[in-house]
Each structure stands twice: as C-alpha cells, then as structure tokens.
Amino acid sequence: MRVELDGRVALVTGASRGIGLAIARALAQNGARVMLTARKPPVLAEAAAEISGGLADVDGAGEVAVFAAHAGSPEGAEAAVAATVERFGGLDILVNNAATNPYAGPLIDIDLPRLDKTIEVNVRGPLVWTQAAWRARLREHGGTVLNIASIGGLKHGGPLGAYDMTKAALIYQTRHLATELGPGVRVNAIAPGLVQTDFARYLWTGAGPEADYGWALGRIGQPPDVASAALFLVSDAASWITGEVLVVDGGSLLGPRLAPTPPPTAAG
Ligand SMILES: NC(=O)c1ccc[n+]([C@@H]2O[C@H](COP(=O)([O-])OP(=O)(O)OC[C@H]3O[C@@H](n4cnc5c(N)ncnc54)[C@H](OP(=O)(O)O)[C@@H]3O)[C@@H](O)[C@H]2O)c1
C-alpha cells in the first residue's frame, strides 16, 4: 500500500522498537520525514540506521532522525517538538505510541509509585506531547494526532486493570481532543490486540507467530499490522475521520471463533 505523505513531518514516541518502530518505518517509506523518540539513545540510533538502510531502494522515501526523551516529560515533549521543527521545518503528524505497564494484578492492590508511573507515561504523556505539538505547530498549521491505545481500554476484567484503565482514559482523551482541536487537527486512536513485541512477551512466549489463538483471524498481530492502520489514519485518505478508535486485533475482542453452523435439515 502506497500512501502519499511526501513532505509531511512526523514525530513518533516509543519508536526504537516494536509497534513504534514499524510505524516510523512505514511513515518514512511513504515519504514522510520522521523524528524517532524513545529513552535510550543507542537503541534509537540503531533503529534509525536500520530504517535508513531500508529506504535506499524505496522511490519517494523520506528520512529519519532521532531525539531521546521520556514520554512522560513535558520538557522532553517540548524539546522533541522543537528539535523536529528545527530539523525538518515543521510538524504535521504526532504519534503517541510509547507506554508502560509496570504492574499486573488486582487494581485494588496497586501501589502508588507504579500507579503514578502508569498514568504519567500512558495518559499524561500523550496529553503533554499533544499540547507541545499543538502550541508549536498544529494550532496554526493543522495536522493530525494518533494515539496508540489498546483493546484493554475497551473492555474490563483481567490482571491489567491499571494499564487498561489508562488506555480507557487515552481513548477518552482522543475523542475529547478531537472535539477541541478540529477542524484543523484530527485526533484518532488505534486499539491493538495482542502484538508480538517485547512489551507483551509474557503473553505470547512459547507460541509461534502462526499459533492459533482461537479468535476470528487466529494468529497474533505483528507490528506492521498496526503500522498499516496508522498509515491510513494519519493520511489524507482519512481526512473525514476524527475521534475514532480503530480496533486492530485479528477479531480477538469479538470473542472465540465459532464452529461453522450446520445448515438446517429438511425436517427443520
Ligand atoms: N504489544 C502489544 O500486545 C500491545 C497491545 C495493545 C497495545 N499496545 C500498545 O502499543 C504501544 C507500543 O507497544 P509495543 O508493544 O511496541 O512496546 P515495545 O516493543 O516495548 O516498545 C516500546 C517503545 O516505547 C519506548 N518507551 C517505553 N517507555 C518509555 C518512556 N517512558 N519514554 C519514552 N519512550 C518509552 C521504548 O524505548 P525505550 O525503552 O528506549 O524508551 C520502545 O521504543 C504501547 O502504547 C502499548 O501500550 C501494545
């Protein structure tokens, strides 16, 4: 799928591996100039080198640069946005992808440090990065924001109550900001299901990429499955879509795949 992003400038948080790396690569392959951010400079540098190496053979490809910043930090957000504008001359697309999940267990038992960290990175982070992008560029020039949420924010139950609560808040933030930032800025979210990255390793370790998980499309997701949806939502192909949450989960939210229903017999 080729999407026209020539000349657009994008900033992606959590872009050094997993889903963020796949989104950054897809944006650059489709002509965008992309600033990759995460905390660890050496891993970021490797990610940028890997993307750049793959762009050499792609017609109309963009380019990438890196800036190290903590996704929960307002100062980091402002500095990353400023570095993006300085390096590429603007900012049109913000992808709030970085998140953390330091706790699994009953929500009622979570300790305050881990609760605060989860909220800081997963809810406050996307808001302060969106504020920084809005104030520096988007308010005046327009653009689009994409938040990476989770199907956990659309259901309840299970051991990730604190994380899922922050993703539900991010979905609220997405819909609410869509009403505040339009018509110049579109704000959407993707709610991925289980994707084979480090983040969710404990949920898939031991199962191969083709293992059947029992949901409609069977297999676990791969980062490019989310990246292609991201590409669509930040492009002009989605120019009348805002405040939307696109579930990308192979059908897992629907529940288990059903056995085919036998046709009715002649006797009824
Ligand atoms: N994988 C899944 O099954 C799944 C399912 C639903 C939703 N999601 C969501 O998808 C997004 C990406 O997850 P992923 O699976 O791709 O994770 P991942 O493979 O662990 O990658 C996380 C990225 O975020 C960066 N990061 C982590 N904490 C950060 C912080 N405090 N500040 C700045 N950067 C930070 C990491 O780099 P550094 O460590 O160097 O900072 C890395 O680049 C997250 O929002 C996650 O909630 C994932």
Side-chain angles (χ1 to χ4, degrees):
M1 177 174 79
R2 168 81 188 166
V3 169
E4 181 60 65
L5 293 177
D6 298 359
R8 305 278 166 91
V9 176
L11 173 53
V12 183
T13 69
S16 62
R17 61 174 190 265
I19 292 168
L21 174 61
I23 292 174
R25 183 190 294 113
L27 294 173
Q29 284 173 340
N30 285 272
R33 289 168 290 159
V34 187
M35 183 64 86
L36 281 63
T37 77
R39 287 167 302 179
K40 302 181 194 91
V43 191
L44 265 179
E46 270 173 41
E50 190 261 313
I51 293 179
S52 296
L55 295 180
D57 301 332
V58 180
D59 276 348
E63 57 179 308
V64 296
V66 300
F67 189 88
H70 191 293
S73 158
E75 298 77 22
E78 267 186 43
V81 166
T84 306
V85 174
E86 187 181 332
R87 170 70 192 256
F88 294 131
L91 176 60
D92 309 292
I93 299 165
L94 171 66
V95 182
N96 287 309
N97 165 76
T100 191
N101 183 22
Y103 175 83
L107 177 58
I108 196 73
D109 291 329
I110 192 168
D111 53 281
L112 289 183
R114 283 187 287 183
L115 176 62
D116 288 349
K117 182 179 169 154
T118 312
I119 293 170
E120 180 198 35
V121 178
N122 298 3
V123 183
R124 201 186 83 160
L127 181 58
V128 297
W129 283 69
T130 303
Q131 286 178 320
W134 166 257
R135 289 168 187 160
R137 286 295 295 191
L138 302 185
R139 176 165 45 195
E140 198 177 336
H141 300 276
T144 184
V145 176
L146 179 65
N147 294 322
I148 306 302
S150 168
I151 56 168
L154 294 168
K155 58 188 177 67
H156 60 272
L160 302 182
Y163 168 81
D164 290 346
M165 178 178 72
T166 63
K167 292 301 190 176
L170 182 58
I171 287 167
Y172 179 85
Q173 186 183 126
T174 300
R175 292 176 173 144
H176 187 90
L177 285 182
T179 67
E180 289 190 2
L181 306 192
V185 176
R186 298 185 300 108
V187 187
N188 289 294
I190 291 175
L194 182 60
V195 180
Q196 198 161 19
T197 68
D198 287 348
F199 194 78
R201 180 174 294 279
Y202 74 102
L203 294 172
W204 55 262
T205 295
E210 297 309 325
D212 189 343
Y213 284 77
W215 50 64
L217 299 184
R219 69 172 174 84
I220 191 171
Q222 298 299 327
D225 292 318
V226 181
S228 50
L231 210 48
F232 164 65
L233 282 173
V234 303
S235 76
D236 290 346
S239 63
W240 208 46
I241 299 177
T242 196
E244 196 51 69
V245 181
L246 180 56
V247 172
V248 180
D249 73 339
S252 65
L253 199 56
L254 301 174
R257 193 168 61 234
L258 302 177
T261 312
T265 60

